[in-house]
Amino acid sequence: MRDLYDVLGVARAASQNELKQAYRKLARAHHPDTNPDDPKAEERFKEISAAYDTLSDVEKRKAYDQFGASGGTSAQGFDPNDFRDFAQERGFDISDLFGDLFGGGRRRTGGSRGRPRTRRGVDLETRVTLSFDDALRGARVTVPVAKDGPCGDCAGTGAAPGTSRSACPDCGGSGERQVNQGFFATSEPCRRCRGKGIVIETPCAACAGAGQARRTKRYTVKIPAGISDGARIRVRGKGLDGEHGGAAGDLWVVVQVLPSERFVRRGLDIIVDVPITFPEAALGAEIDVPTPLGERVRVKVPAGSADGKLLRIRGRGAPAQSGDDGALLVRLKLLVPQGLSTQQTEALERFAALDGASDPRAELFG
Ligand SMILES: [Zn+2]
Ligand SMILES: [Zn+2]
Protein backbone atom coordinates (compact mmCIF):
# COMPACT_ATOMS: atom_id res chain seq x y z
CA MET A 1 0.00 0.00 0.00
CA ARG A 2 1.57 3.24 -1.11
CA ASP A 3 1.73 6.32 1.00
CA LEU A 4 -1.48 8.24 0.30
CA TYR A 5 0.36 11.53 -0.13
CA ASP A 6 2.66 9.89 -2.65
CA VAL A 7 -0.35 8.56 -4.51
CA LEU A 8 -1.65 12.09 -4.97
CA GLY A 9 1.84 13.53 -5.44
CA VAL A 10 1.46 16.17 -2.75
CA ALA A 11 3.45 17.18 0.30
CA ARG A 12 2.29 16.03 3.72
CA ALA A 13 1.52 19.62 4.56
CA ALA A 14 -0.62 20.13 1.47
CA SER A 15 -3.72 22.23 1.95
CA GLN A 16 -7.17 20.86 1.18
CA ASN A 17 -7.18 22.99 -1.91
CA GLU A 18 -3.89 21.56 -3.13
CA LEU A 19 -5.22 18.06 -2.47
CA LYS A 20 -8.32 18.76 -4.43
CA GLN A 21 -6.43 20.14 -7.39
CA ALA A 22 -4.00 17.24 -7.42
CA TYR A 23 -6.85 14.79 -7.19
CA ARG A 24 -8.86 16.32 -9.98
CA LYS A 25 -5.92 16.33 -12.30
CA LEU A 26 -5.05 12.70 -11.59
CA ALA A 27 -8.62 11.46 -11.58
CA ARG A 28 -9.22 12.98 -14.98
CA ALA A 29 -6.04 11.48 -16.39
CA HIS A 30 -6.66 8.01 -15.02
CA HIS A 31 -10.41 7.65 -15.24
CA PRO A 32 -11.23 4.24 -16.75
CA ASP A 33 -13.58 5.81 -19.27
CA THR A 34 -10.77 7.86 -20.74
CA ASN A 35 -8.38 4.89 -20.75
CA PRO A 36 -10.51 2.08 -22.16
CA ASP A 37 -7.50 0.12 -23.43
CA ASP A 38 -5.45 0.33 -20.26
CA PRO A 39 -6.47 -2.37 -17.77
CA LYS A 40 -4.40 -0.75 -15.05
CA ALA A 41 -6.17 2.56 -15.29
CA GLU A 42 -9.05 1.38 -13.16
CA GLU A 43 -6.72 0.21 -10.42
CA ARG A 44 -4.85 3.52 -10.45
CA PHE A 45 -8.08 5.42 -10.48
CA LYS A 46 -9.32 3.54 -7.44
CA GLU A 47 -6.07 4.10 -5.64
CA ILE A 48 -6.21 7.81 -6.35
CA SER A 49 -9.86 8.05 -5.33
CA ALA A 50 -9.26 6.14 -2.14
CA ALA A 51 -6.30 8.35 -1.24
CA TYR A 52 -8.36 11.45 -1.82
CA ASP A 53 -11.29 10.02 0.07
CA THR A 54 -9.11 9.70 3.14
CA LEU A 55 -7.04 12.84 2.88
CA SER A 56 -9.91 15.14 1.94
CA ASP A 57 -11.67 14.25 5.14
CA VAL A 58 -10.19 16.08 8.08
CA GLU A 59 -10.91 13.35 10.59
CA LYS A 60 -9.65 10.57 8.42
CA ARG A 61 -6.58 12.52 7.45
CA LYS A 62 -5.75 13.12 11.08
CA ALA A 63 -6.09 9.44 11.83
CA TYR A 64 -4.03 8.52 8.85
CA ASP A 65 -1.30 10.97 9.76
CA GLN A 66 -1.27 9.61 13.27
CA PHE A 67 -1.52 5.89 12.69
CA GLY A 68 -1.05 5.40 8.98
CA ALA A 69 2.38 5.77 7.47
CA SER A 70 4.27 6.69 10.63
CA GLY A 71 2.47 4.74 13.34
CA GLY A 72 2.12 1.46 11.53
CA THR A 73 3.81 -1.73 12.59
CA SER A 74 5.61 -2.43 9.39
CA ALA A 75 8.49 -0.57 7.89
CA GLN A 76 7.20 -0.95 4.34
CA GLY A 77 4.44 1.53 5.04
CA PHE A 78 0.77 1.33 5.54
CA ASP A 79 -0.82 -2.06 5.94
CA PRO A 80 -4.58 -1.52 6.23
CA ASN A 81 -5.11 -4.67 8.27
CA ASP A 82 -2.40 -3.80 10.76
CA PHE A 83 -3.94 -0.43 11.09
CA ARG A 84 -7.37 -1.92 11.64
CA ASP A 85 -6.14 -4.16 14.44
CA PHE A 86 -4.01 -1.44 15.92
CA ALA A 87 -6.94 0.91 16.14
CA GLN A 88 -9.44 -1.66 17.29
CA GLU A 89 -7.22 -2.71 20.18
CA ARG A 90 -7.39 0.84 21.38
CA GLY A 91 -11.17 0.85 21.27
CA PHE A 92 -11.20 3.17 18.36
CA ASP A 93 -13.85 2.35 15.77
CA ILE A 94 -12.40 2.68 12.37
CA SER A 95 -14.57 0.23 10.54
CA ASP A 96 -15.76 2.97 8.24
CA LEU A 97 -12.60 4.90 8.04
CA PHE A 98 -10.91 2.84 5.40
CA GLY A 99 -13.81 0.77 4.21
CA ASP A 100 -13.70 2.27 0.76
CA LEU A 101 -10.08 1.35 0.36
CA PHE A 102 -10.82 -2.30 0.00
CA GLY A 103 -13.26 -2.41 -2.83
CA GLY A 104 -16.07 -0.40 -1.34
CA GLY A 105 -17.74 -3.19 0.56
CA ARG A 106 -18.00 -2.58 4.25
CA ARG A 107 -18.63 -5.56 6.41
CA ARG A 108 -19.47 -4.86 9.95
CA THR A 109 -19.69 -8.17 11.71
CA GLY A 110 -20.78 -7.29 15.21
CA GLY A 111 -17.47 -6.46 16.76
CA SER A 112 -15.62 -9.30 15.11
CA ARG A 113 -11.98 -8.55 14.69
CA GLY A 114 -11.67 -10.68 11.61
CA ARG A 115 -10.15 -9.07 8.62
CA PRO A 116 -12.50 -8.58 5.71
CA ARG A 117 -12.38 -11.63 3.51
CA THR A 118 -11.32 -11.18 -0.02
CA ARG A 119 -14.02 -12.24 -2.37
CA ARG A 120 -13.70 -12.86 -6.06
CA GLY A 121 -15.93 -10.74 -8.26
CA VAL A 122 -19.00 -12.20 -9.92
CA ASP A 123 -18.73 -13.53 -13.46
CA LEU A 124 -20.84 -11.83 -16.09
CA GLU A 125 -22.27 -13.31 -19.24
CA THR A 126 -23.14 -11.66 -22.51
CA ARG A 127 -24.15 -12.94 -25.94
CA VAL A 128 -22.97 -12.11 -29.41
CA THR A 129 -24.39 -13.22 -32.72
CA LEU A 130 -22.10 -13.88 -35.66
CA SER A 131 -22.81 -14.68 -39.28
CA PHE A 132 -21.72 -18.09 -40.49
CA ASP A 133 -18.86 -16.49 -42.45
CA ASP A 134 -17.63 -14.32 -39.57
CA ALA A 135 -17.56 -17.34 -37.29
CA LEU A 136 -15.30 -19.12 -39.79
CA ARG A 137 -13.04 -16.13 -40.40
CA GLY A 138 -12.85 -14.96 -36.82
CA ALA A 139 -13.99 -11.52 -35.76
CA ARG A 140 -13.57 -8.70 -33.32
CA VAL A 141 -16.76 -7.78 -31.57
CA THR A 142 -17.51 -5.02 -29.15
CA VAL A 143 -19.74 -6.11 -26.33
CA PRO A 144 -21.51 -3.65 -24.03
CA VAL A 145 -21.55 -4.68 -20.40
CA ALA A 146 -23.50 -2.82 -17.74
CA LYS A 147 -21.50 -2.52 -14.54
CA ASP A 148 -21.82 -0.66 -11.32
CA GLY A 149 -18.66 1.25 -10.65
CA PRO A 150 -17.45 4.42 -8.98
CA CYS A 151 -19.47 7.35 -10.23
CA GLY A 152 -17.40 9.33 -12.69
CA ASP A 153 -18.64 12.71 -11.53
CA CYS A 154 -17.78 12.32 -7.86
CA ALA A 155 -15.14 9.59 -8.15
CA GLY A 156 -17.26 7.35 -5.98
CA THR A 157 -17.42 9.63 -2.98
CA GLY A 158 -21.09 10.48 -3.46
CA ALA A 159 -20.33 14.12 -2.72
CA ALA A 160 -20.92 16.72 -5.40
CA PRO A 161 -17.69 17.76 -7.14
CA GLY A 162 -15.99 20.47 -5.11
CA THR A 163 -17.56 19.32 -1.85
CA SER A 164 -16.49 16.52 0.42
CA ARG A 165 -17.97 14.03 2.80
CA SER A 166 -17.57 14.55 6.47
CA ALA A 167 -17.87 12.49 9.61
CA CYS A 168 -21.45 12.25 10.83
CA PRO A 169 -21.87 14.79 13.66
CA ASP A 170 -24.47 12.64 15.45
CA CYS A 171 -22.31 9.58 15.90
CA GLY A 172 -18.89 11.10 15.45
CA GLY A 173 -18.22 8.89 12.46
CA SER A 174 -18.72 5.58 14.20
CA GLY A 175 -22.06 4.86 12.54
CA GLU A 176 -23.42 3.62 15.86
CA ARG A 177 -25.23 5.14 18.77
CA GLN A 178 -25.22 3.87 22.29
CA VAL A 179 -28.64 3.05 23.62
CA ASN A 180 -29.12 2.50 27.33
CA GLN A 181 -31.73 -0.07 28.23
CA GLY A 182 -31.72 -0.52 31.95
CA PHE A 183 -28.48 -2.22 32.82
CA PHE A 184 -27.57 -2.88 29.26
CA ALA A 185 -25.91 -0.54 26.85
CA THR A 186 -26.41 -1.64 23.31
CA SER A 187 -25.64 0.08 20.11
CA GLU A 188 -27.77 0.60 17.08
CA PRO A 189 -27.03 2.07 13.70
CA CYS A 190 -26.98 5.85 13.70
CA ARG A 191 -30.18 7.16 12.16
CA ARG A 192 -28.74 10.27 10.68
CA CYS A 193 -26.06 8.53 8.61
CA ARG A 194 -27.81 5.14 8.51
CA GLY A 195 -24.78 3.52 10.06
CA LYS A 196 -22.35 4.79 7.49
CA GLY A 197 -20.56 7.20 9.78
CA ILE A 198 -20.37 9.82 7.10
CA VAL A 199 -22.72 12.43 5.83
CA ILE A 200 -22.77 14.07 2.47
CA GLU A 201 -23.89 17.67 2.65
CA THR A 202 -24.24 18.10 -1.07
CA PRO A 203 -24.91 14.83 -2.85
CA CYS A 204 -23.46 14.31 -6.29
CA ALA A 205 -26.21 14.99 -8.81
CA ALA A 206 -25.17 12.20 -11.13
CA CYS A 207 -25.45 9.35 -8.64
CA ALA A 208 -27.70 10.98 -6.03
CA GLY A 209 -25.00 10.50 -3.43
CA ALA A 210 -24.69 6.75 -3.88
CA GLY A 211 -21.15 6.99 -5.20
CA GLN A 212 -21.97 4.18 -7.59
CA ALA A 213 -23.21 4.55 -11.07
CA ARG A 214 -24.25 2.06 -13.69
CA ARG A 215 -22.08 2.47 -16.65
CA THR A 216 -21.99 0.63 -19.89
CA LYS A 217 -18.49 -0.53 -20.56
CA ARG A 218 -17.52 -1.73 -23.96
CA TYR A 219 -15.02 -4.49 -24.39
CA THR A 220 -13.53 -5.58 -27.64
CA VAL A 221 -13.40 -9.35 -27.74
CA LYS A 222 -11.47 -11.35 -30.27
CA ILE A 223 -13.46 -14.29 -31.58
CA PRO A 224 -11.11 -16.96 -32.91
CA ALA A 225 -11.62 -18.23 -36.44
CA GLY A 226 -13.73 -21.38 -36.55
CA ILE A 227 -15.75 -20.68 -33.41
CA SER A 228 -18.80 -22.89 -33.16
CA ASP A 229 -22.36 -22.09 -32.22
CA GLY A 230 -22.83 -22.08 -28.45
CA ALA A 231 -19.12 -21.68 -27.66
CA ARG A 232 -18.23 -19.60 -24.60
CA ILE A 233 -15.24 -17.30 -24.60
CA ARG A 234 -13.76 -16.24 -21.30
CA VAL A 235 -12.45 -12.71 -20.96
CA ARG A 236 -10.48 -12.74 -17.76
CA GLY A 237 -10.97 -10.01 -15.21
CA LYS A 238 -13.80 -8.21 -17.03
CA GLY A 239 -16.56 -9.37 -14.72
CA LEU A 240 -17.54 -7.52 -11.57
CA ASP A 241 -14.81 -6.26 -9.27
CA GLY A 242 -13.75 -8.39 -6.35
CA GLU A 243 -14.26 -7.31 -2.77
CA HIS A 244 -11.53 -6.49 -0.31
CA GLY A 245 -8.77 -7.02 -2.81
CA GLY A 246 -10.28 -10.14 -4.37
CA ALA A 247 -9.73 -10.78 -8.05
CA ALA A 248 -12.27 -9.50 -10.53
CA GLY A 249 -14.67 -12.00 -12.04
CA ASP A 250 -14.59 -13.00 -15.68
CA LEU A 251 -16.75 -12.00 -18.57
CA TRP A 252 -18.16 -14.91 -20.57
CA VAL A 253 -19.12 -14.25 -24.13
CA VAL A 254 -21.57 -16.81 -25.47
CA VAL A 255 -21.42 -17.03 -29.24
CA GLN A 256 -24.45 -17.67 -31.40
CA VAL A 257 -23.65 -18.50 -35.02
CA LEU A 258 -26.37 -17.88 -37.59
CA PRO A 259 -27.00 -20.64 -40.10
CA SER A 260 -25.81 -20.40 -43.68
CA GLU A 261 -28.15 -20.90 -46.63
CA ARG A 262 -25.68 -23.17 -48.36
CA PHE A 263 -23.46 -24.77 -45.75
CA VAL A 264 -24.16 -26.91 -42.70
CA ARG A 265 -21.60 -27.38 -39.99
CA ARG A 266 -20.95 -30.69 -38.25
CA GLY A 267 -18.21 -30.16 -35.72
CA LEU A 268 -15.26 -28.92 -37.72
CA ASP A 269 -16.57 -30.38 -40.97
CA ILE A 270 -18.80 -28.41 -43.28
CA ILE A 271 -21.30 -30.03 -45.59
CA VAL A 272 -22.38 -28.57 -48.92
CA ASP A 273 -24.96 -30.12 -51.22
CA VAL A 274 -23.83 -30.15 -54.85
CA PRO A 275 -26.15 -31.17 -57.71
CA ILE A 276 -24.76 -33.58 -60.21
CA THR A 277 -26.19 -34.88 -63.49
CA PHE A 278 -26.91 -38.53 -64.18
CA PRO A 279 -24.11 -38.80 -66.81
CA GLU A 280 -21.61 -37.11 -64.44
CA ALA A 281 -22.51 -39.54 -61.67
CA ALA A 282 -22.40 -42.55 -63.95
CA LEU A 283 -19.33 -41.67 -65.98
CA GLY A 284 -17.36 -39.67 -63.41
CA ALA A 285 -16.45 -36.00 -63.76
CA GLU A 286 -14.43 -33.12 -62.43
CA ILE A 287 -16.67 -30.45 -60.99
CA ASP A 288 -16.18 -27.10 -59.23
CA VAL A 289 -17.62 -26.71 -55.75
CA PRO A 290 -17.86 -23.58 -53.55
CA THR A 291 -15.95 -23.41 -50.25
CA PRO A 292 -17.42 -21.63 -47.20
CA LEU A 293 -14.91 -18.84 -47.62
CA GLY A 294 -16.09 -18.06 -51.15
CA GLU A 295 -13.45 -19.93 -53.08
CA ARG A 296 -13.96 -22.48 -55.79
CA VAL A 297 -12.23 -25.82 -55.72
CA ARG A 298 -12.20 -28.64 -58.24
CA VAL A 299 -13.14 -32.09 -57.05
CA LYS A 300 -13.14 -35.42 -58.82
CA VAL A 301 -16.44 -37.33 -58.87
CA PRO A 302 -15.65 -41.03 -59.28
CA ALA A 303 -17.54 -42.95 -61.97
CA GLY A 304 -20.59 -44.67 -60.50
CA SER A 305 -21.15 -42.21 -57.65
CA ALA A 306 -24.49 -42.70 -55.92
CA ASP A 307 -26.86 -39.98 -54.77
CA GLY A 308 -25.82 -38.72 -51.33
CA LYS A 309 -22.21 -39.79 -51.68
CA LEU A 310 -19.83 -37.64 -49.62
CA LEU A 311 -16.59 -36.41 -51.14
CA ARG A 312 -14.11 -35.20 -48.55
CA ILE A 313 -11.89 -32.20 -49.25
CA ARG A 314 -9.37 -31.92 -46.45
CA GLY A 315 -8.57 -28.64 -44.78
CA ARG A 316 -11.51 -26.73 -46.30
CA GLY A 317 -13.81 -27.00 -43.31
CA ALA A 318 -13.74 -24.91 -40.16
CA PRO A 319 -10.32 -23.84 -38.79
CA ALA A 320 -9.39 -25.84 -35.70
CA GLN A 321 -8.12 -24.20 -32.49
CA SER A 322 -5.56 -26.98 -32.35
CA GLY A 323 -4.85 -29.92 -34.60
CA ASP A 324 -6.19 -30.40 -38.10
CA ASP A 325 -8.75 -28.12 -39.66
CA GLY A 326 -12.06 -29.64 -40.62
CA ALA A 327 -12.97 -30.94 -44.06
CA LEU A 328 -15.45 -29.75 -46.64
CA LEU A 329 -17.86 -32.59 -47.30
CA VAL A 330 -19.40 -32.43 -50.76
CA ARG A 331 -22.73 -34.26 -50.71
CA LEU A 332 -23.77 -35.28 -54.22
CA LYS A 333 -27.39 -34.64 -55.14
CA LEU A 334 -28.27 -36.67 -58.19
CA LEU A 335 -30.48 -34.81 -60.66
CA VAL A 336 -32.93 -37.02 -62.49
CA PRO A 337 -33.40 -35.83 -66.08
CA GLN A 338 -36.88 -34.47 -66.71
CA GLY A 339 -38.75 -33.18 -69.78
CA LEU A 340 -36.77 -35.39 -72.12
CA SER A 341 -36.68 -34.77 -75.86
CA THR A 342 -37.52 -37.61 -78.23
CA GLN A 343 -33.85 -38.20 -78.88
CA GLN A 344 -33.00 -38.32 -75.17
CA THR A 345 -35.86 -40.73 -74.55
CA GLU A 346 -34.63 -42.98 -77.33
CA ALA A 347 -31.10 -42.85 -76.00
CA LEU A 348 -32.24 -43.83 -72.50
CA GLU A 349 -34.39 -46.61 -73.83
CA ARG A 350 -31.36 -47.96 -75.69
CA PHE A 351 -29.37 -47.62 -72.50
CA ALA A 352 -32.07 -49.49 -70.55
CA ALA A 353 -32.19 -52.28 -73.09
CA LEU A 354 -28.42 -52.70 -72.83
CA ASP A 355 -28.59 -52.64 -69.02
CA GLY A 356 -31.73 -54.81 -68.98
CA ALA A 357 -30.54 -58.12 -67.54
CA SER A 358 -30.47 -57.23 -63.86
CA ASP A 359 -33.52 -56.37 -61.73
CA PRO A 360 -32.41 -53.89 -59.03
CA ARG A 361 -35.32 -54.97 -56.77
CA ALA A 362 -34.79 -58.69 -56.98
CA GLU A 363 -33.31 -58.90 -53.49
CA LEU A 364 -36.38 -57.25 -51.94
CA PHE A 365 -38.45 -60.34 -52.55
CA GLY A 366 -35.86 -62.97 -51.82
ZN1 LIG B 1 -21.54 10.68 -8.07
ZN1 LIG C 1 -24.03 8.96 12.22
Side-chain angles (χ1 to χ4, degrees):
M1 177 73 61
R2 285 172 65 197
D3 180 86
L4 300 187
Y5 292 95
D6 287 350
V7 170
L8 294 178
V10 295
R12 297 190 80 79
S15 69
Q16 284 298 321
N17 212 24
E18 286 169 321
L19 281 172
K20 196 185 289 173
Q21 280 174 359
Y23 169 69
R24 279 198 188 154
K25 206 169 137 197
L26 289 168
R28 221 174 289 135
H30 295 289
H31 195 279
D33 282 353
T34 56
N35 299 274
D37 298 325
D38 183 357
K40 287 189 178 142
E42 189 164 338
E43 287 308 309
R44 275 204 305 274
F45 179 73
K46 277 187 201 155
E47 189 183 35
I48 293 158
S49 300
Y52 181 66
D53 183 45
T54 300
L55 297 183
S56 62
D57 184 308
V58 178
E59 292 294 315
K60 289 186 190 179
R61 184 177 179 182
K62 210 190 288 172
Y64 177 74
D65 287 346
Q66 198 173 350
F67 302 114
S70 56
T73 50
S74 67
Q76 302 99 299
F78 175 65
D79 179 328
N81 289 317
D82 287 348
F83 178 46
R84 191 179 300 271
D85 293 347
F86 177 86
Q88 274 179 350
E89 279 158 19
R90 283 155 184 77
F92 163 46
D93 185 354
I94 64 139
S95 49
D96 283 305
L97 208 52
F98 288 94
D100 289 353
L101 279 181
F102 315 116
R106 192 178 51 250
R107 200 167 305 166
R108 185 195 301 275
T109 44
S112 151
R113 299 201 173 182
R115 296 177 178 186
R117 279 214 200 114
T118 61
R119 203 195 301 178
R120 188 174 173 279
V122 172
D123 285 358
L124 296 177
E125 187 177 289
T126 185
R127 289 171 178 272
V128 296
T129 301
L130 294 182
S131 72
F132 191 85
D133 288 10
D134 284 347
L136 285 181
R137 289 191 171 94
R140 277 180 176 281
V141 295
T142 303
V143 293
V145 180
K147 279 187 184 183
D148 290 330
C151 167
D153 281 26
C154 64
T157 64
T163 70
S164 67
R165 329 194 291 182
S166 49
C168 172
D170 280 19
C171 61
S174 71
E176 288 173 2
R177 307 199 65 180
Q178 298 291 319
V179 184
N180 290 314
Q181 296 177 319
F183 295 109
F184 302 101
T186 56
S187 61
E188 63 174 30
C190 168
R191 281 185 200 145
R192 176 154 179 180
C193 64
R194 293 204 202 87
K196 289 182 174 142
I198 40 172
V199 288
I200 298 168
E201 305 284 358
T202 317
C204 165
C207 63
Q212 297 273 305
R214 176 145 292 189
R215 287 183 299 169
T216 301
K217 291 199 164 198
R218 289 175 196 283
Y219 297 117
T220 301
V221 179
K222 189 171 177 285
I223 310 282
I227 195 87
S228 55
D229 184 43
R232 290 156 62 85
I233 295 170
R234 171 193 257 173
V235 187
R236 287 188 186 276
K238 301 300 185 196
L240 295 186
D241 290 340
E243 287 180 33
H244 308 297
D250 297 328
L251 172 65
W252 291 88
V253 179
V254 182
V255 179
Q256 184 194 14
V257 180
L258 295 175
S260 157
E261 283 182 10
R262 190 165 292 157
F263 299 97
V264 177
R265 198 162 154 176
R266 292 273 162 77
L268 287 177
D269 293 340
I270 293 173
I271 300 171
V272 59
D273 284 336
V274 174
I276 190 170
T277 66
F278 176 71
E280 284 171 335
L283 303 175
E286 290 205 342
I287 60 171
D288 284 349
V289 298
T291 73
L293 294 182
E295 291 158 308
R296 182 187 270 258
V297 289
R298 183 147 283 208
V299 60
K300 195 166 181 243
V301 178
S305 290
D307 179 57
K309 182 183 178 67
L310 290 173
L311 305 175
R312 175 176 288 265
I313 308 177
R314 286 181 194 287
R316 296 291 192 152
Q321 299 307 307
S322 61
D324 294 338
D325 290 346
L328 177 62
L329 300 178
V330 177
R331 184 160 58 193
L332 299 180
K333 288 281 161 195
L334 183 58
L335 297 175
V336 174
Q338 288 174 333
L340 298 175
S341 67
T342 313
Q343 277 183 312
Q344 285 173 318
T345 305
E346 284 170 6
L348 275 180
E349 280 169 356
R350 272 203 309 281
F351 169 80
L354 291 168
D355 193 39
S358 63
D359 177 0
R361 288 165 297 276
E363 281 184 12
L364 296 177
F365 305 98

